[in-house]
Structures are given as C-alpha cells and as structure tokens.
Amino acid sequence: MDDMNTRRSTVDNVIPLPYIVGDHIDDEQAREQFREQFKDIWNRIAESEGAIEASLEQTDEEQAPLLVEGSITVRHEQQEPLSVDIRYKGYVEILCDEQKLSDIYSNLGCGVIDGYEFSVNEYLILKNLDSTVADVRKWNGEEFIEVKPRNMPSMAWGSGKNACKPLDEVQRCAFDSIQENEVTVLYGKAGCGKTHIPLAHILSWLESGKYDKLYVVYSYEPMRNAKTLGFEKGDHIDKVLMTGSIGNILASKLGSITEVERKINDGKLEIIPTANIRGVEFSRKSIVLVTEAQNLDVYTMKTIVQRCQEGCKQIYEGDILEQTDASLSNSGMARLIEVFKGNPNFGCVKLHKGYRSPLCELADLM
C-alpha cells in the first residue's frame, strides 16, 4: 500500500483518488479501496447535480430538465423546433342561407352564434352559400358592429384608387384591427400581406403626422442551414441593414435600401435588434413593428410589450405556423395571443391567402 499511496489535496472539496500505475491494480486491498472511493465520488456528484437542479427556476414545462436514470441531468441545448398549436384566428367564418343570415342579423346584440362565444374584437365573416362574402362584423363586447376600414394612401404607394386597400375579407379584418387597436398580431404564410399591410398604414401615418417615428424590432435569426458571409464592413446601421433579413424586408417594401437609409437619417425610422431592447422606451406617438416575431420567446416578447407607453401602436407579424428556422421551447407570439385575446385594445388576424405569385402558392407544397 505504501507504494500505491493515495494522492491527497489540500483543497477540502477534492476527493482523493488512489494513484494508479499501469492498466490495473494488483493489490486486492487497494482495488477494493478504489471501488469504494469511486462509488463515493459518483454519489457526491449525483447529490451535487440534484442540489443544482433544485435551485433552478422552472419557467415552463418545455424548459424543464430531462432526468435520465439516477440523478444525472441532461439539458436540450439543441432542441428541435416545436409545433405551435394556435386555434385562435381572430375571426369566424359562417356559411349562411337567407334564413340563417336573417336570424343572425336579428341577434347582433348576442355574442354567441352557432354555439360559439366570441371574444372582444373577434370578427364574424358571413358568407352566402356560394361562398361570396355577405358581411363582415366585429364583436365589441356589446354588439356586432360593421367593419369598414379606411384605405391607406401614401406618397410611396399612391392615393385614391392606388391607395393600399384590403384584397379580401380577412385583410379587411386586418386593416380594421391595425386602425382600431393598440396591439395587433398578424400571422400567416409568405405573401399574405402580413408585412405589407402594416407598412402601408405606417407610411401613411408618418406622412400625415399622426405618429412621429417607426421602431422596427427584429431578432437576428439567420435562415436555417444558411451560410453567413463572415465579417461585414461598415458602421452599426450598415451592419444592421446588410446582415439578417431586416434590410431586405424594408428595402422591398419601401422601394430601395436608399429610401430606408433616408428615413433613418430623417429620424423617422429606427431599427432595434432584440438584443438591445432593454432600456428602450417607446412613446405614445410612436409605432413599434416587430417583424419575424415567430422567432421570439416569451421572455423577449414580454420585454418588448413592457417597453411601450400607453397609446403606442404595436404590430407583431410573423409566419408562426410555417417557419421553423428558430428552435424555441416556448413561442412568445403564441403566448401573446393567448394572454391578450379578448382585451379591448387587442386584435389578432390569421391571413390565409397569398398574393405574391401563383408560384409562391405552389411552393407551399414543397
């Protein structure tokens, strides 16, 4: 045993191990001592893991650690994208014959139709038997009121017959929600207008002076499996516009990257990555557009909402059901809808029809 002395440390927390020369221990007593010490080390590691896990704050079920046999804890650092179950579209479509339509009109003061109880600011789309739209109404908590949103003229996109206007009954709901509510969530597939519609309103309001400034909040989330270009030259604005998707999104809607830069220089536009959102405060005369909001978790989404003063116009848009570039354990967009649904200052619309091109529609099948 003297030749196989146990190495000892002056540090109290270090457990001594036998000093082993070669691939095995010849001395039976030393081998037994080694086994006992190894078992003790294993037990103490397990106890330490358990103590650490007990002190961790459990934010939600998906983030809870996965316990694997014994007390060894494994966390999912690279989670697969989780499916999001959102049943709330912000509107209900009902197919009616003449009698049913008459019955509904005679009960516009009742918030329950066909057994379905409407939330405040939820839309009712009435359709004839041939699927043509008969009417669009909104439940305001007391009655179903008619939905007639305004077209949005702007210098960039035109006025009069060239003004931006809803292309279908669901976009009509989206126009109304943005115009009437403090907070609006728009979600849907590519090409449905979820970015185009808010920017049409924003440009019109900035030109008329109704609002002073647009803040675009985005999360730098590169497309899944995409390659990056590495180091990019330029100042902070150049890097913000030239990396990620936000520069391309704004340039395509405003006409060019030059127009985007002009609005930034004029103080009408500011782009804020979510990493810099702490300490920012959005005034009542500003508009906050959160783009690609499907990439945000609950904590980030909550932080953005809490940065907004009363009266600040908030619009959240994203492809929450289709895009899975981000691997999230909890969807901030889904949670926002769940918590705010029924609030008199909140509206949500799922845009369902694509208008970019027929090929864009076909790409959904890929």
Side-chain angles (χ1 to χ4, degrees), residues 131-160:
S131 294
T132 57
V133 178
D135 200 359
V136 179
R137 299 264 170 169
K138 178 175 66 176
W139 177 248
N140 66 1
E142 298 179 355
E143 62 176 333
F144 283 98
I145 59 174
E146 195 171 2
V147 174
K148 285 188 174 181
R150 302 177 300 279
N151 296 343
M152 300 308 296
S154 66
M155 293 177 62
W157 291 346
S159 58

Side-chain angles (χ1 to χ4, degrees), residues 85-357:
D85 181 19
I86 297 183
R87 293 185 174 86
Y88 187 70
K89 300 188 298 182
Y91 59 87
V92 174
E93 298 174 292
I94 297 181
L95 204 62
C96 306
D97 56 20
E98 290 186 7
Q99 182 59 49
K100 189 169 187 177
L101 193 61
S102 175
D103 292 341
I104 291 174
Y105 279 135
S106 63
N107 290 282
L108 292 178
C110 177
V112 180
I113 295 180
D114 279 1
Y116 179 82
E117 185 175 355
F118 281 73
S119 298
V120 174
N121 290 333
E122 190 169 8
Y123 297 92
L124 168 64
I125 299 175
L126 299 173
K127 291 188 172 182
N128 300 311
L129 295 180
D130 60 359
S131 294
T132 57
V133 178
D135 200 359
V136 179
R137 299 264 170 169
K138 178 175 66 176
W139 177 248
N140 66 1
E142 298 179 355
E143 62 176 333
F144 283 98
I145 59 174
E146 195 171 2
V147 174
K148 285 188 174 181
R150 302 177 300 279
N151 296 343
M152 300 308 296
S154 66
M155 293 177 62
W157 291 346
S159 58
K161 65 178 183 179
N162 295 320
C164 185
K165 50 185 171 294
L167 300 179
D168 59 47
E169 67 280 3
V170 177
Q171 286 197 3
R172 190 166 151 190
C173 299
F175 269 63
D176 179 80
S177 182
I178 292 174
Q179 292 171 15
E180 301 299 329
N181 297 320
E182 192 171 313
V183 181
T184 294
V185 171
L186 300 180
Y187 70 96
K189 60 186 179 180
C192 65
K194 60 185 180 293
T195 309
H196 184 92
I197 293 171
L199 282 175
H201 286 78
I202 291 165
L203 288 176
S204 182
W205 288 334
L206 289 176
E207 290 172 7
S208 67
K210 182 175 182 179
Y211 291 92
D212 295 333
K213 189 170 184 175
L214 164 64
Y215 293 92
V216 176
V217 179
Y218 82 105
S219 171
Y220 179 73
E221 188 69 38
M223 188 171 69
R224 187 173 49 184
N225 299 327
K227 304 296 183 182
T228 61
L229 297 176
F231 175 76
E232 292 279 351
K233 295 188 295 183
D235 58 18
H236 174 70
I237 295 301
D238 291 332
K239 287 179 168 62
V240 167
L241 293 178
M242 298 305 174
T243 58
S245 59
I246 190 62
N248 293 331
I249 291 173
L250 292 175
S252 66
K253 304 302 179 185
L254 300 183
S256 68
I257 199 70
T258 303
E259 180 62 21
V260 176
E261 292 171 340
R262 187 179 71 80
K263 281 187 164 39
I264 292 174
N265 294 332
D266 290 345
K268 295 292 185 181
L269 169 63
E270 186 172 342
I271 302 171
I272 304 178
T274 52
N276 300 342
I277 201 66
R278 283 199 185 96
V280 177
E281 185 170 316
F282 304 115
S283 71
R284 65 183 67 243
K285 287 280 285 180
S286 64
I287 308 168
V288 176
L289 173 62
V290 182
T291 185
E292 303 287 345
Q294 77 275 357
N295 292 331
L296 305 184
D297 60 16
V298 172
Y299 177 78
T300 305
M301 185 69 77
K302 179 175 71 172
T303 304
I304 294 171
V305 176
Q306 291 175 336
R307 300 288 94 197
C308 300
Q309 292 184 2
E310 182 181 1
C312 171
K313 182 74 72 173
Q314 304 171 50
I315 306 170
Y316 302 84
E317 63 90 359
D319 194 358
I320 192 169
L321 298 179
E322 303 297 334
Q323 296 291 343
T324 55
D325 292 340
S327 177
L328 295 179
S329 59
N330 53 356
S331 167
M333 206 170 178
R335 183 61 176 163
L336 180 67
I337 295 171
E338 179 185 355
V339 171
F340 279 65
K341 181 179 71 173
N343 186 284
N345 295 311
F346 174 80
C348 169
V349 178
K350 177 189 176 183
L351 297 164
H352 69 301
K353 190 179 294 185
Y355 289 96
R356 188 167 291 161
S357 75

Side-chain angles (χ1 to χ4, degrees), residues 51-97:
I52 292 172
E53 287 306 320
S55 66
L56 289 175
E57 180 182 358
Q58 298 300 312
T59 56
D60 57 61
E61 208 173 294
E62 288 80 13
Q63 289 178 323
L66 172 66
L67 295 180
V68 182
E69 191 174 340
S71 300
I72 303 303
T73 300
V74 178
R75 287 190 176 278
H76 292 286
E77 297 298 334
Q78 298 294 332
Q79 295 183 358
E80 285 299 316
L82 300 178
S83 61
V84 179
D85 181 19
I86 297 183
R87 293 185 174 86
Y88 187 70
K89 300 188 298 182
Y91 59 87
V92 174
E93 298 174 292
I94 297 181
L95 204 62
C96 306
D97 56 20

